[in-house]
Amino acid sequence: MTQAVDRQRLIIGEAVELELPVARLATRATAIAIDATIQILILMSLSVLLSAFSVRANFAISATLSILMLVFTFVVWPVAFETFTRGRSPGKFALGLRVVRDDGGPIRFRHALTRGLIGAAIEWPGLLLPPLTWIFGSTCMLFSARGKRLGDLAAGTIVLVERLPDLSRQPIFMPPELAYWARDLDLAGIDDGLAMALRQFLTRANGMRADARVSLGRRLADEVYRSTTPPPPPGTPPWAYLTAVLAERRRREAERLAARRAIVALGAPALPPSAEGAWKP
């Protein structure tokens, strides 16, 4: 017997079935520009403080403080930020990016430190032969299959686009060839959890690997098949079957909600907010 689909795992977004896209050069360059702007502001603020202090300090102390200021701005600050936020600098926060390990796990201090040291030396600000190192680092990221910069290659990390478009409200349309059949469906066995799993699958199927999409679609279709009657017409693809079931369920719930609102308009007591929103899977 086929096991039921793990709906909660699907709703959250299972790492095996649904892959987050890799951040590419343009997106990462924008994030770096935001981080660089913040670092320059930090550097300018520290420079003002150092200038006020240098009036009374000798050259050796001033030079030491200047070096410490650069190290804090371009190494300590980004490394600490990525470590405590699990891979998100201010620029990555703004663009919905996150640094993770190659195996998908959260980065640790050693990963952030490796990225930070190589970034400061070669990429940004690039203390070794800029702007040649900038060009080399950008070329590496552009031609890397996973969009890796030099710091990612050394640390074993990758940057993913974590903030995806909200597809929860994407409309589900009834396949025309199944509209007549769907009118007689018994949908009593389709609860809210299964309906949400169907929506998650149908709206995110294009972001899945082909083998994962086929496997998960069949598992969902098997569970829906056991929960509804009559069976779909012979030869119906799983995606069309699932789309028709979800579209019909939403159509019936929308009709029930419209009927309740019509009753309220005639003077009946108002519906509680939970009842009005209950039809949405």
Side-chain angles (χ1 to χ4, degrees):
M1 178 181 296
T2 306
Q3 296 181 345
V5 177
D6 187 344
R7 299 171 197 165
Q8 185 65 24
R9 183 162 165 257
L10 175 64
I11 292 171
I12 294 173
E14 51 184 298
V16 176
E17 305 287 7
L18 179 61
E19 295 181 330
L20 294 176
V22 173
R24 295 299 178 180
L25 179 60
T27 307
R28 295 191 60 178
T30 304
I32 291 174
I34 295 173
D35 293 336
T37 301
I38 295 175
Q39 288 175 322
I40 290 173
L41 292 175
I42 293 174
L43 188 62
M44 292 173 61
S45 301
L46 293 177
S47 297
V48 171
L49 296 176
L50 180 60
S51 298
F53 178 80
S54 298
V55 175
R56 296 179 246 178
N58 59 40
F59 175 79
I61 295 177
S62 297
T64 301
L65 291 177
S66 297
I67 294 174
L68 291 176
M69 179 179 64
L70 291 173
V71 171
F72 173 82
T73 303
F74 296 111
V75 178
V76 176
W77 163 259
V79 169
F81 209 101
E82 282 196 354
T83 299
F84 289 115
T85 61
R86 296 292 185 92
R88 303 184 75 181
S89 66
K92 293 182 180 67
F93 264 120
L95 296 179
L97 310 180
R98 184 184 293 274
V99 183
V100 298
R101 302 195 308 262
D102 282 339
D103 62 4
I107 65 169
R108 301 188 184 278
F109 171 73
R110 62 184 179 87
H111 303 100
L113 180 62
T114 301
R115 287 168 48 82
L117 291 175
I118 293 180
I122 300 177
E123 294 160 331
W124 169 256
L127 302 178
L128 303 176
L129 299 177
L132 293 179
T133 52
W134 299 349
I135 298 173
F136 180 74
S138 300
T139 303
C140 175
M141 192 186 308
L142 184 62
F143 289 98
S144 170
R146 307 185 74 186
K148 289 195 172 196
R149 66 175 178 85
L150 298 176
D152 292 317
L153 293 173
T157 57
I158 188 173
V159 179
L160 301 178
V161 180
E162 187 180 51
R163 188 186 304 151
L164 296 174
D166 183 11
L167 301 176
S168 61
R169 298 186 181 275
Q170 179 176 319
I172 300 294
F173 298 104
M174 171 69 70
E177 66 276 11
L178 296 178
Y180 181 78
W181 163 80
R183 294 279 175 169
D184 297 326
L185 269 174
D186 178 4
L187 298 176
I190 305 296
D191 58 20
D192 289 343
L194 182 53
M196 179 62 77
L198 293 181
R199 167 162 284 279
Q200 288 283 330
F201 171 73
L202 292 172
T203 56
R204 300 190 182 277
N206 289 335
M208 299 180 184
R209 299 191 310 269
D211 58 335
R213 181 171 60 248
V214 172
S215 173
L216 189 56
R218 287 175 177 170
R219 287 159 52 195
L220 276 169
D222 287 343
E223 183 167 359
V224 173
Y225 184 86
R226 295 194 303 272
S227 304
T228 62
T229 56
T236 301
W239 68 266
Y241 173 45
L242 298 178
T243 301
V245 169
L246 184 58
E248 178 63 17
R249 184 178 190 269
R250 289 179 65 85
R251 185 192 67 79
R252 295 181 189 181
E253 293 293 347
E255 286 185 351
R256 282 196 289 269
L257 180 59
R260 291 170 186 167
R261 286 176 173 169
I263 294 174
V264 171
L266 294 175
L271 291 173
S274 58
E276 291 196 6
W279 70 276
K280 297 181 180 179

PDB file of all heavy atoms in Angstrom, residues 72-98:
ATOM      1  N   PHE A  72      38.391  45.513  11.564  1.00  0.00           N
ATOM      2  CA  PHE A  72      37.034  45.437  12.120  1.00  0.00           C
ATOM      3  C   PHE A  72      35.993  45.629  11.031  1.00  0.00           C
ATOM      4  O   PHE A  72      35.003  44.883  10.957  1.00  0.00           O
ATOM      5  CB  PHE A  72      36.849  46.498  13.206  1.00  0.00           C
ATOM      6  CG  PHE A  72      35.433  46.587  13.705  1.00  0.00           C
ATOM      7  CD1 PHE A  72      34.966  45.700  14.662  1.00  0.00           C
ATOM      8  CD2 PHE A  72      34.554  47.548  13.199  1.00  0.00           C
ATOM      9  CE1 PHE A  72      33.656  45.772  15.115  1.00  0.00           C
ATOM     10  CE2 PHE A  72      33.241  47.614  13.644  1.00  0.00           C
ATOM     11  CZ  PHE A  72      32.787  46.721  14.598  1.00  0.00           C
ATOM     12  N   THR A  73      36.211  46.623  10.169  1.00  0.00           N
ATOM     13  CA  THR A  73      35.209  46.970   9.163  1.00  0.00           C
ATOM     14  C   THR A  73      35.047  45.892   8.110  1.00  0.00           C
ATOM     15  O   THR A  73      33.921  45.535   7.731  1.00  0.00           O
ATOM     16  CB  THR A  73      35.573  48.298   8.488  1.00  0.00           C
ATOM     17  OG1 THR A  73      35.691  49.317   9.483  1.00  0.00           O
ATOM     18  CG2 THR A  73      34.510  48.699   7.471  1.00  0.00           C
ATOM     19  N   PHE A  74      36.170  45.342   7.627  1.00  0.00           N
ATOM     20  CA  PHE A  74      36.109  44.442   6.480  1.00  0.00           C
ATOM     21  C   PHE A  74      36.250  42.955   6.819  1.00  0.00           C
ATOM     22  O   PHE A  74      36.067  42.117   5.943  1.00  0.00           O
ATOM     23  CB  PHE A  74      37.175  44.842   5.454  1.00  0.00           C
ATOM     24  CG  PHE A  74      36.951  46.199   4.868  1.00  0.00           C
ATOM     25  CD1 PHE A  74      37.814  47.246   5.162  1.00  0.00           C
ATOM     26  CD2 PHE A  74      35.865  46.444   4.057  1.00  0.00           C
ATOM     27  CE1 PHE A  74      37.595  48.512   4.627  1.00  0.00           C
ATOM     28  CE2 PHE A  74      35.639  47.704   3.513  1.00  0.00           C
ATOM     29  CZ  PHE A  74      36.505  48.746   3.806  1.00  0.00           C
ATOM     30  N   VAL A  75      36.552  42.628   8.076  1.00  0.00           N
ATOM     31  CA  VAL A  75      36.657  41.215   8.465  1.00  0.00           C
ATOM     32  C   VAL A  75      35.748  40.903   9.653  1.00  0.00           C
ATOM     33  O   VAL A  75      34.851  40.066   9.558  1.00  0.00           O
ATOM     34  CB  VAL A  75      38.114  40.821   8.783  1.00  0.00           C
ATOM     35  CG1 VAL A  75      38.174  39.353   9.227  1.00  0.00           C
ATOM     36  CG2 VAL A  75      39.024  41.038   7.590  1.00  0.00           C
ATOM     37  N   VAL A  76      35.979  41.584  10.776  1.00  0.00           N
ATOM     38  CA  VAL A  76      35.236  41.256  11.996  1.00  0.00           C
ATOM     39  C   VAL A  76      33.738  41.500  11.811  1.00  0.00           C
ATOM     40  O   VAL A  76      32.914  40.636  12.144  1.00  0.00           O
ATOM     41  CB  VAL A  76      35.764  42.087  13.182  1.00  0.00           C
ATOM     42  CG1 VAL A  76      34.921  41.814  14.430  1.00  0.00           C
ATOM     43  CG2 VAL A  76      37.223  41.750  13.449  1.00  0.00           C
ATOM     44  N   TRP A  77      33.363  42.657  11.272  1.00  0.00           N
ATOM     45  CA  TRP A  77      31.945  42.984  11.093  1.00  0.00           C
ATOM     46  C   TRP A  77      31.221  41.968  10.208  1.00  0.00           C
ATOM     47  O   TRP A  77      30.219  41.382  10.635  1.00  0.00           O
ATOM     48  CB  TRP A  77      31.814  44.406  10.554  1.00  0.00           C
ATOM     49  CG  TRP A  77      30.470  44.714   9.964  1.00  0.00           C
ATOM     50  CD1 TRP A  77      30.150  44.744   8.641  1.00  0.00           C
ATOM     51  CD2 TRP A  77      29.269  45.006  10.655  1.00  0.00           C
ATOM     52  NE1 TRP A  77      28.827  45.034   8.454  1.00  0.00           N
ATOM     53  CE2 TRP A  77      28.253  45.202   9.681  1.00  0.00           C
ATOM     54  CE3 TRP A  77      28.928  45.119  12.001  1.00  0.00           C
ATOM     55  CZ2 TRP A  77      26.942  45.514  10.015  1.00  0.00           C
ATOM     56  CZ3 TRP A  77      27.609  45.422  12.337  1.00  0.00           C
ATOM     57  CH2 TRP A  77      26.642  45.619  11.356  1.00  0.00           C
ATOM     58  N   PRO A  78      31.679  41.707   8.969  1.00  0.00           N
ATOM     59  CA  PRO A  78      30.924  40.754   8.143  1.00  0.00           C
ATOM     60  C   PRO A  78      30.953  39.332   8.674  1.00  0.00           C
ATOM     61  O   PRO A  78      29.956  38.611   8.567  1.00  0.00           O
ATOM     62  CB  PRO A  78      31.619  40.852   6.767  1.00  0.00           C
ATOM     63  CG  PRO A  78      32.943  41.440   7.038  1.00  0.00           C
ATOM     64  CD  PRO A  78      32.791  42.317   8.225  1.00  0.00           C
ATOM     65  N   VAL A  79      32.086  38.909   9.262  1.00  0.00           N
ATOM     66  CA  VAL A  79      32.166  37.546   9.796  1.00  0.00           C
ATOM     67  C   VAL A  79      31.197  37.381  10.972  1.00  0.00           C
ATOM     68  O   VAL A  79      30.468  36.384  11.059  1.00  0.00           O
ATOM     69  CB  VAL A  79      33.601  37.211  10.214  1.00  0.00           C
ATOM     70  CG1 VAL A  79      33.646  35.907  11.021  1.00  0.00           C
ATOM     71  CG2 VAL A  79      34.504  37.093   8.993  1.00  0.00           C
ATOM     72  N   ALA A  80      31.197  38.352  11.877  1.00  0.00           N
ATOM     73  CA  ALA A  80      30.294  38.271  13.035  1.00  0.00           C
ATOM     74  C   ALA A  80      28.841  38.298  12.596  1.00  0.00           C
ATOM     75  O   ALA A  80      28.010  37.535  13.114  1.00  0.00           O
ATOM     76  CB  ALA A  80      30.585  39.430  13.998  1.00  0.00           C
ATOM     77  N   PHE A  81      28.511  39.150  11.635  1.00  0.00           N
ATOM     78  CA  PHE A  81      27.122  39.264  11.185  1.00  0.00           C
ATOM     79  C   PHE A  81      26.656  37.959  10.553  1.00  0.00           C
ATOM     80  O   PHE A  81      25.562  37.470  10.855  1.00  0.00           O
ATOM     81  CB  PHE A  81      27.012  40.418  10.179  1.00  0.00           C
ATOM     82  CG  PHE A  81      25.667  41.070  10.179  1.00  0.00           C
ATOM     83  CD1 PHE A  81      25.455  42.263  10.835  1.00  0.00           C
ATOM     84  CD2 PHE A  81      24.588  40.485   9.519  1.00  0.00           C
ATOM     85  CE1 PHE A  81      24.204  42.870  10.851  1.00  0.00           C
ATOM     86  CE2 PHE A  81      23.342  41.080   9.516  1.00  0.00           C
ATOM     87  CZ  PHE A  81      23.155  42.271  10.181  1.00  0.00           C
ATOM     88  N   GLU A  82      27.468  37.380   9.671  1.00  0.00           N
ATOM     89  CA  GLU A  82      27.061  36.130   9.020  1.00  0.00           C
ATOM     90  C   GLU A  82      26.994  34.972  10.010  1.00  0.00           C
ATOM     91  O   GLU A  82      26.171  34.073   9.861  1.00  0.00           O
ATOM     92  CB  GLU A  82      28.015  35.793   7.880  1.00  0.00           C
ATOM     93  CG  GLU A  82      27.779  36.598   6.616  1.00  0.00           C
ATOM     94  CD  GLU A  82      28.450  35.988   5.404  1.00  0.00           C
ATOM     95  OE1 GLU A  82      29.193  34.986   5.569  1.00  0.00           O
ATOM     96  OE2 GLU A  82      28.242  36.497   4.297  1.00  0.00           O
ATOM     97  N   THR A  83      27.870  34.994  11.031  1.00  0.00           N
ATOM     98  CA  THR A  83      27.865  33.911  12.012  1.00  0.00           C
ATOM     99  C   THR A  83      26.598  33.941  12.855  1.00  0.00           C
ATOM    100  O   THR A  83      25.915  32.932  13.026  1.00  0.00           O
ATOM    101  CB  THR A  83      29.097  34.009  12.927  1.00  0.00           C
ATOM    102  OG1 THR A  83      30.286  33.901  12.135  1.00  0.00           O
ATOM    103  CG2 THR A  83      29.078  32.897  13.967  1.00  0.00           C
ATOM    104  N   PHE A  84      26.244  35.124  13.384  1.00  0.00           N
ATOM    105  CA  PHE A  84      25.100  35.225  14.296  1.00  0.00           C
ATOM    106  C   PHE A  84      23.763  35.160  13.571  1.00  0.00           C
ATOM    107  O   PHE A  84      22.743  34.827  14.187  1.00  0.00           O
ATOM    108  CB  PHE A  84      25.204  36.504  15.121  1.00  0.00           C
ATOM    109  CG  PHE A  84      26.300  36.471  16.149  1.00  0.00           C
ATOM    110  CD1 PHE A  84      27.384  37.326  16.059  1.00  0.00           C
ATOM    111  CD2 PHE A  84      26.263  35.560  17.190  1.00  0.00           C
ATOM    112  CE1 PHE A  84      28.402  37.290  17.003  1.00  0.00           C
ATOM    113  CE2 PHE A  84      27.276  35.515  18.148  1.00  0.00           C
ATOM    114  CZ  PHE A  84      28.352  36.377  18.050  1.00  0.00           C
ATOM    115  N   THR A  85      23.742  35.481  12.286  1.00  0.00           N
ATOM    116  CA  THR A  85      22.476  35.413  11.534  1.00  0.00           C
ATOM    117  C   THR A  85      22.381  34.155  10.689  1.00  0.00           C
ATOM    118  O   THR A  85      21.490  34.044   9.851  1.00  0.00           O
ATOM    119  CB  THR A  85      22.324  36.647  10.624  1.00  0.00           C
ATOM    120  OG1 THR A  85      23.405  36.676   9.679  1.00  0.00           O
ATOM    121  CG2 THR A  85      22.320  37.929  11.443  1.00  0.00           C
ATOM    122  N   ARG A  86      23.313  33.228  10.860  1.00  0.00           N
ATOM    123  CA  ARG A  86      23.331  31.979  10.107  1.00  0.00           C
ATOM    124  C   ARG A  86      23.401  32.223   8.598  1.00  0.00           C
ATOM    125  O   ARG A  86      22.613  31.665   7.843  1.00  0.00           O
ATOM    126  CB  ARG A  86      22.116  31.124  10.443  1.00  0.00           C
ATOM    127  CG  ARG A  86      22.059  30.648  11.886  1.00  0.00           C
ATOM    128  CD  ARG A  86      23.167  29.639  12.180  1.00  0.00           C
ATOM    129  NE  ARG A  86      23.067  29.084  13.520  1.00  0.00           N
ATOM    130  CZ  ARG A  86      22.414  27.972  13.821  1.00  0.00           C
ATOM    131  NH1 ARG A  86      21.777  27.324  12.875  1.00  0.00           N
ATOM    132  NH2 ARG A  86      22.388  27.515  15.043  1.00  0.00           N
ATOM    133  N   GLY A  87      24.310  33.112   8.191  1.00  0.00           N
ATOM    134  CA  GLY A  87      24.583  33.254   6.768  1.00  0.00           C
ATOM    135  C   GLY A  87      23.884  34.399   6.067  1.00  0.00           C
ATOM    136  O   GLY A  87      23.718  34.349   4.847  1.00  0.00           O
ATOM    137  N   ARG A  88      23.499  35.439   6.794  1.00  0.00           N
ATOM    138  CA  ARG A  88      22.796  36.551   6.152  1.00  0.00           C
ATOM    139  C   ARG A  88      23.443  37.879   6.551  1.00  0.00           C
ATOM    140  O   ARG A  88      23.359  38.299   7.698  1.00  0.00           O
ATOM    141  CB  ARG A  88      21.321  36.559   6.538  1.00  0.00           C
ATOM    142  CG  ARG A  88      20.603  35.263   6.199  1.00  0.00           C
ATOM    143  CD  ARG A  88      19.130  35.343   6.496  1.00  0.00           C
ATOM    144  NE  ARG A  88      18.444  36.154   5.495  1.00  0.00           N
ATOM    145  CZ  ARG A  88      17.132  36.403   5.522  1.00  0.00           C
ATOM    146  NH1 ARG A  88      16.394  35.939   6.503  1.00  0.00           N
ATOM    147  NH2 ARG A  88      16.575  37.117   4.581  1.00  0.00           N
ATOM    148  N   SER A  89      24.086  38.536   5.591  1.00  0.00           N
ATOM    149  CA  SER A  89      24.604  39.882   5.795  1.00  0.00           C
ATOM    150  C   SER A  89      23.456  40.872   5.589  1.00  0.00           C
ATOM    151  O   SER A  89      22.367  40.478   5.148  1.00  0.00           O
ATOM    152  CB  SER A  89      25.726  40.158   4.800  1.00  0.00           C
ATOM    153  OG  SER A  89      25.211  40.178   3.474  1.00  0.00           O
ATOM    154  N   PRO A  90      23.646  42.164   5.879  1.00  0.00           N
ATOM    155  CA  PRO A  90      22.561  43.123   5.628  1.00  0.00           C
ATOM    156  C   PRO A  90      22.078  43.109   4.179  1.00  0.00           C
ATOM    157  O   PRO A  90      20.869  43.179   3.916  1.00  0.00           O
ATOM    158  CB  PRO A  90      23.202  44.466   6.007  1.00  0.00           C
ATOM    159  CG  PRO A  90      24.215  44.121   7.036  1.00  0.00           C
ATOM    160  CD  PRO A  90      24.760  42.787   6.612  1.00  0.00           C
ATOM    161  N   GLY A  91      23.015  43.026   3.226  1.00  0.00           N
ATOM    162  CA  GLY A  91      22.615  42.966   1.821  1.00  0.00           C
ATOM    163  C   GLY A  91      21.831  41.715   1.499  1.00  0.00           C
ATOM    164  O   GLY A  91      20.861  41.749   0.724  1.00  0.00           O
ATOM    165  N   LYS A  92      22.206  40.598   2.096  1.00  0.00           N
ATOM    166  CA  LYS A  92      21.478  39.340   1.868  1.00  0.00           C
ATOM    167  C   LYS A  92      20.105  39.389   2.524  1.00  0.00           C
ATOM    168  O   LYS A  92      19.134  38.839   2.002  1.00  0.00           O
ATOM    169  CB  LYS A  92      22.300  38.162   2.378  1.00  0.00           C
ATOM    170  CG  LYS A  92      23.583  37.918   1.594  1.00  0.00           C
ATOM    171  CD  LYS A  92      24.326  36.704   2.115  1.00  0.00           C
ATOM    172  CE  LYS A  92      25.597  36.465   1.319  1.00  0.00           C
ATOM    173  NZ  LYS A  92      26.598  37.539   1.527  1.00  0.00           N
ATOM    174  N   PHE A  93      20.009  40.042   3.685  1.00  0.00           N
ATOM    175  CA  PHE A  93      18.700  40.247   4.297  1.00  0.00           C
ATOM    176  C   PHE A  93      17.776  40.988   3.345  1.00  0.00           C
ATOM    177  O   PHE A  93      16.614  40.624   3.154  1.00  0.00           O
ATOM    178  CB  PHE A  93      18.844  41.061   5.590  1.00  0.00           C
ATOM    179  CG  PHE A  93      18.916  40.222   6.840  1.00  0.00           C
ATOM    180  CD1 PHE A  93      20.029  40.288   7.662  1.00  0.00           C
ATOM    181  CD2 PHE A  93      17.872  39.385   7.186  1.00  0.00           C
ATOM    182  CE1 PHE A  93      20.104  39.519   8.812  1.00  0.00           C
ATOM    183  CE2 PHE A  93      17.936  38.619   8.338  1.00  0.00           C
ATOM    184  CZ  PHE A  93      19.056  38.694   9.154  1.00  0.00           C
ATOM    185  N   ALA A  94      18.300  42.051   2.741  1.00  0.00           N
ATOM    186  CA  ALA A  94      17.477  42.900   1.882  1.00  0.00           C
ATOM    187  C   ALA A  94      16.983  42.169   0.644  1.00  0.00           C
ATOM    188  O   ALA A  94      15.869  42.413   0.168  1.00  0.00           O
ATOM    189  CB  ALA A  94      18.267  44.140   1.481  1.00  0.00           C
ATOM    190  N   LEU A  95      17.797  41.248   0.117  1.00  0.00           N
ATOM    191  CA  LEU A  95      17.458  40.563  -1.131  1.00  0.00           C
ATOM    192  C   LEU A  95      16.963  39.138  -0.928  1.00  0.00           C
ATOM    193  O   LEU A  95      16.709  38.423  -1.894  1.00  0.00           O
ATOM    194  CB  LEU A  95      18.670  40.564  -2.063  1.00  0.00           C
ATOM    195  CG  LEU A  95      19.125  41.955  -2.521  1.00  0.00           C
ATOM    196  CD1 LEU A  95      20.352  41.845  -3.413  1.00  0.00           C
ATOM    197  CD2 LEU A  95      18.018  42.680  -3.265  1.00  0.00           C
ATOM    198  N   GLY A  96      16.836  38.715   0.320  1.00  0.00           N
ATOM    199  CA  GLY A  96      16.317  37.372   0.580  1.00  0.00           C
ATOM    200  C   GLY A  96      17.299  36.269   0.249  1.00  0.00           C
ATOM    201  O   GLY A  96      16.889  35.210  -0.245  1.00  0.00           O
ATOM    202  N   LEU A  97      18.579  36.482   0.513  1.00  0.00           N
ATOM    203  CA  LEU A  97      19.610  35.481   0.247  1.00  0.00           C
ATOM    204  C   LEU A  97      20.120  34.910   1.564  1.00  0.00           C
ATOM    205  O   LEU A  97      19.994  35.528   2.614  1.00  0.00           O
ATOM    206  CB  LEU A  97      20.781  36.093  -0.534  1.00  0.00           C
ATOM    207  CG  LEU A  97      20.450  36.899  -1.788  1.00  0.00           C
ATOM    208  CD1 LEU A  97      21.737  37.413  -2.428  1.00  0.00           C
ATOM    209  CD2 LEU A  97      19.654  36.066  -2.775  1.00  0.00           C
ATOM    210  N   ARG A  98      20.698  33.721   1.479  1.00  0.00           N
ATOM    211  CA  ARG A  98      21.325  33.116   2.652  1.00  0.00           C
ATOM    212  C   ARG A  98      22.483  32.233   2.222  1.00  0.00           C
ATOM    213  O   ARG A  98      22.385  31.502   1.235  1.00  0.00           O
ATOM    214  CB  ARG A  98      20.318  32.290   3.453  1.00  0.00           C
ATOM    215  CG  ARG A  98      20.919  31.717   4.751  1.00  0.00           C
ATOM    216  CD  ARG A  98      19.933  30.806   5.484  1.00  0.00           C
ATOM    217  NE  ARG A  98      18.798  31.533   6.004  1.00  0.00           N
ATOM    218  CZ  ARG A  98      18.788  32.141   7.196  1.00  0.00           C
ATOM    219  NH1 ARG A  98      19.864  32.126   7.959  1.00  0.00           N
ATOM    220  NH2 ARG A  98      17.706  32.751   7.609  1.00  0.00           N
TER     221      ARG A  98
END
